[in-house]
Amino acid sequence: QEYVTQLDVYINNTKPWEMAKNGENTDEVIYTLAESLRMIAIAHLPIIPEAAEKILAQLGASDIRTREWGGLVGGEKAEKGEALFPRLA
């Protein structure tokens, strides 16, 4: 949970939506976020395997199981998928 909290702080500090709006390069920030999601998904495979597999598939990383940073290849496009944990009404 601490890692996710730190990632949330990173998002709020870098503000990639503002960077994009200002024409700044967001490649490093987006890569950091995608790689972080990959690491979170791998850590959650034993707990919530179906959701973790969906995250990896959306990142194009279904076959990348290394716990080392840098597993994602830059320049790939993530796939939009369904909500993994839809809100209950």
Side-chain angles (χ1 to χ4, degrees), residues 39-62:
M39 300 293 271
I40 291 166
I42 289 172
H44 284 82
L45 276 168
I47 304 162
I48 47 173
E50 189 175 312
E53 290 286 357
K54 286 181 181 179
I55 292 168
L56 292 170
Q58 289 174 351
L59 291 171
S62 294

Side-chain angles (χ1 to χ4, degrees), residues 34-89:
E35 184 67 358
S36 297
L37 286 173
R38 185 186 72 80
M39 300 293 271
I40 291 166
I42 289 172
H44 284 82
L45 276 168
I47 304 162
I48 47 173
E50 189 175 312
E53 290 286 357
K54 286 181 181 179
I55 292 168
L56 292 170
Q58 289 174 351
L59 291 171
S62 294
D63 59 340
I64 305 171
R65 299 303 165 100
T66 180
R67 292 180 180 259
E68 299 293 323
W69 186 264
L72 288 178
V73 177
E76 296 294 320
K77 195 169 190 174
E79 297 293 324
K80 183 174 180 167
E82 63 188 52
L84 297 175
F85 306 105
R87 294 177 187 233
L88 301 175

Side-chain angles (χ1 to χ4, degrees), residues 2-11 32-33 36-37 40:
E2 186 177 324
Y3 185 73
V4 174
T5 300
Q6 290 175 351
L7 192 57
D8 186 52
V9 170
Y10 177 75
I11 293 167
T32 298
L33 296 174
S36 297
L37 286 173
I40 291 166

Side-chain angles (χ1 to χ4, degrees), residues 9-30:
V9 170
Y10 177 75
I11 293 167
N12 288 318
N13 287 342
T14 58
K15 299 178 180 162
W17 58 91
E18 287 185 9
M19 291 174 68
K21 185 177 174 182
N22 296 330
E24 296 175 55
N25 187 328
T26 59
D27 290 352
E28 184 178 334
V29 173
I30 298 302

